[in-house]
Amino acid sequence: RMVYCKVTDKYGNSVKTNAVTLMMGSPAKITKQPSSATVLGNAKAQVSLKASGIGLKYKWYYKNVNSSSFKYTSTFKSNTYTVDMNDARSGRQIYCVVTDKYGNSAKSKVVTLKKGEITKQPSSVSVKKGEVAKTTISATGDGLTYKWYYKNVGATSYSLTTSFTGKYYSVSMNESRDGRKIFCRITDKYGNSLDTKTVTLSMKHTYVEGDVIREATCALTGEKQYICTDCGKEKIEAIAKLPHALSEPELIREPTV
């Protein structure tokens, strides 16, 4: 429909406005709601929404943990909200009000931004030969993936293993794995990563009473050899030096007055 207006004064003079067109349209509407996000470490947390309407404007509101009310932020004026995550901002709630050029508005749902972290670090493990050495981790974040790296004794760098892609690492212990160091790299679906601490997998040995292979003297320490009954590994322990065996004292100079 096209409309115009004719304005007439009391003397009969009149003017006519331009004709305009009236069309049926939809008020501002959110077509895709924002989603909560948990990102690893102090990475950027980004939330977006989609809306339909004419001449849309966006206003974001936030509330930190322990705050009593939401506050408007003028920093973000598009359909995207981005913030560097840290401990103070973890748990922040946000929402957006979308307004079209005619003043119609729509409010998004409230979502939460959190800082993901490693909640359980791996532990060093010591087991006997043939037993399984296993360690487990836990972390919080969106779409987490896990990559485990290891380095055996004598190796110069860590290697990625594709055998384990979850929250645990386990191997059957043998001589070549004794002393192996491992850590896990955890990555969220946004590409942010955190490394766990490095721990050691070792073989537990059972030693019987050792044999003296060098007697201790007052001048030299001795050595005692032990052999593991499970794998045959040798261990050498030092025997403390013996005290000096002094002879009876002899008078070498008479006292004088």
Side-chain angles (χ1 to χ4, degrees):
R1 172 178 291 182
M2 296 186 68
V3 298
Y4 69 88
C5 182
K6 185 177 182 180
V7 183
T8 305
D9 63 20
K10 69 178 183 179
Y11 307 108
N13 305 306
S14 62
V15 293
K16 185 172 69 173
T17 67
N18 294 329
V20 296
T21 303
L22 303 180
M23 295 184 296
M24 182 179 293
S26 298
K29 180 181 179 182
I30 296 174
T31 57
K32 182 181 178 182
Q33 292 283 354
S35 298
S36 296
T38 301
V39 299
L40 286 176
N42 295 326
K44 289 185 182 296
Q46 186 175 89
V47 172
S48 296
L49 58 79
K50 291 183 179 180
S52 62
I54 300 174
L56 298 180
K57 292 184 179 180
Y58 303 84
K59 287 187 176 181
W60 289 91
Y61 296 82
Y62 72 96
K63 183 178 75 169
N64 287 334
V65 175
N66 299 324
S67 295
S68 58
S69 59
F70 283 88
K71 297 179 180 180
Y72 166 66
T73 173
S74 59
T75 304
F76 310 104
K77 298 180 180 180
S78 70
N79 66 326
T80 300
Y81 182 101
T82 305
V83 66
D84 291 324
M85 190 49 56
N86 55 32
D87 291 334
R89 292 168 178 158
S90 186
R92 172 176 288 187
Q93 294 182 308
I94 62 171
Y95 70 87
C96 184
V97 174
V98 185
T99 305
D100 64 21
K101 64 182 294 185
Y102 307 110
N104 304 305
S105 63
K107 178 182 174 182
S108 76
K109 70 176 184 180
V110 177
V111 297
T112 305
L113 306 179
K114 292 182 180 180
K115 176 184 175 182
E117 58 186 359
I118 298 170
T119 55
K120 180 183 178 183
Q121 292 281 357
S123 301
S124 294
V125 181
S126 182
V127 296
K128 290 185 177 182
K129 181 180 180 180
E131 293 181 345
V132 174
K134 181 177 180 179
T135 188
T136 305
I137 60 174
S138 295
T140 57
D142 294 337
L144 298 182
T145 58
Y146 305 85
K147 289 185 177 181
W148 289 90
Y149 294 81
Y150 71 94
K151 184 175 74 170
N152 288 334
V153 174
T156 57
S157 60
Y158 283 86
S159 300
L160 170 67
T161 174
T162 57
S163 299
F164 307 101
T165 56
K167 297 180 181 180
Y168 74 91
Y169 181 99
S170 65
V171 291
S172 178
M173 184 52 61
N174 58 31
E175 292 84 353
S176 65
R177 293 166 177 159
D178 188 15
R180 171 175 288 186
K181 295 185 179 298
I182 63 169
F183 73 90
C184 184
R185 179 162 296 155
I186 308 170
T187 305
D188 64 24
K189 70 178 184 179
Y190 313 108
N192 310 303
S193 296
L194 286 178
D195 289 350
T196 67
K197 70 177 183 179
T198 300
V199 296
T200 304
L201 307 181
S202 59
M203 187 156 63
K204 187 182 295 183
H205 300 284
T206 304
Y207 294 104
V208 296
E209 184 63 28
D211 296 322
V212 175
I213 58 176
R214 186 176 71 191
E215 295 286 351
T217 67
C218 59
L220 296 173
T221 57
E223 289 184 344
K224 198 171 187 180
Q225 181 187 55
Y226 298 85
I227 298 177
C228 176
T229 57
D230 296 323
C231 68
K233 181 177 180 178
E234 297 180 358
K235 178 178 75 170
I236 304 296
E237 284 188 355
I239 303 173
K241 291 180 182 179
L242 298 177
H244 293 285
L246 301 177
S247 61
E248 288 295 323
E250 294 182 10
L251 183 64
I252 59 175
R253 186 174 65 186
E254 293 285 349
T256 61
V257 177

